[in-house]
Amino acid sequence: MTAVFSHGRLRLYLLKLLDDGPKHGYELIRLLEDRFLGLYAPSAGTIYPRLQRLEVEGLVTHTAAGGRKVYEITEAGRAELRQRADELATLESDITASVEDLSALAGEIRSEVRGSVRDLKRELREAARQTRQARWTPPPPARPTANAGPAAGAESPLLTEFDQRLAAFTAEVSALVRVGRLTDTQLRTAIRLLDGALDGLRRLLR
């Protein structure tokens, strides 16, 4: 649960949401998620026990509709809202500040991930460039025989296959990183793996 709802403040905010009209638990979860711009959503294990407690205290009641409990605020619940109006106003201000902080943090994380992806793409391009520069040059052809191999200057079939696989590898890694939501730790691990593969190729071609 986000810190802004510590010390029983979520209980107060649930009363505020129910004061706007009857709702079932899932609706309350979605409304809270919308209030936090999708950056926070309480779990069912957070919401339903508090609704049950509010019902025990006589502040809300429920009816069954379509297999779901629909909760409604009571007059006692509205009276508590009126008594705690100042506290509710402070809570709304704190929620607004919390959303701004969470949005800023999310922006920083997105910037860091984009930077890590750019570094990974640069490493892949450099690996491909160095591999192309290190292409094997076939030796001068021997005197032609009945079983002669590829003509002079022809590219080795294995080298062609290597180029194709490298291009496919680069494209697939780039696509996986672009669509995946990797953490900084995962991205650093992927970069270290690519560095290790590149070092291995360099040693092989020396």
Side-chain angles (χ1 to χ4, degrees):
M1 183 172 66
T2 182
V4 74
F5 284 137
S6 60
H7 306 299
R9 300 173 90 191
L10 178 57
R11 174 181 180 278
L12 177 62
Y13 205 72
L14 289 174
L15 287 175
K16 183 262 184 190
L17 293 176
L18 290 174
D19 192 41
D20 295 333
K23 296 173 182 66
H24 53 72
Y26 180 78
E27 287 179 295
L28 293 167
I29 291 173
R30 293 285 75 81
L31 285 170
L32 282 162
E33 184 177 16
D34 291 344
R35 182 66 179 86
F36 281 84
L37 305 180
L39 299 172
Y40 163 75
S43 66
T46 297
I47 294 299
Y48 285 103
R50 284 167 174 78
L51 289 172
Q52 291 171 1
R53 181 63 181 170
L54 288 170
E55 191 168 11
V56 169
E57 294 173 1
L59 303 179
V60 304
T61 186
H62 85 268
T63 56
R68 291 179 173 178
K69 290 183 178 180
V70 178
Y71 294 88
E72 185 174 359
I73 192 170
T74 64
E75 285 304 318
R78 291 191 177 92
E80 178 161 334
L81 280 179
R82 289 192 295 270
Q83 293 169 3
R84 302 175 66 184
D86 291 343
E87 185 179 344
L88 182 59
T90 300
L91 175 57
E92 286 285 10
S93 297
D94 291 346
I95 290 174
T96 299
S98 179
V99 170
E100 291 174 353
D101 291 342
L102 288 172
S103 297
L105 178 60
E108 291 175 5
I109 292 173
R110 283 194 293 267
S111 296
E112 290 178 3
V113 170
R114 282 196 295 267
S116 298
V117 170
R118 283 195 298 270
D119 291 342
L120 181 58
K121 289 180 179 178
R122 187 164 53 248
E123 291 286 343
L124 287 170
R125 286 195 297 268
E126 178 63 17
R129 184 186 68 79
Q130 294 188 16
T131 302
R132 286 195 297 270
Q133 289 178 347
R135 280 185 174 181
W136 172 75
T137 302
R143 195 183 326 176
T145 66
N147 296 322
E155 192 173 71
S156 164
L158 284 176
L159 184 56
T160 300
E161 181 182 354
F162 175 80
D163 285 342
Q164 292 171 347
R165 294 200 179 196
L166 178 62
F169 172 82
T170 302
E172 184 172 352
V173 170
S174 179
L176 287 172
V177 171
R178 186 175 293 110
V179 302
R181 293 185 175 179
L182 301 183
T183 64
D184 287 351
T185 299
Q186 290 172 326
L187 283 169
R188 292 190 185 99
T189 300
I191 290 171
R192 284 197 297 272
L193 288 173
L194 289 171
D195 286 343
L198 181 57
D199 289 340
L201 280 172
R202 286 170 177 163
R203 289 193 296 271
L204 180 64
L205 296 172
R206 283 174 185 166

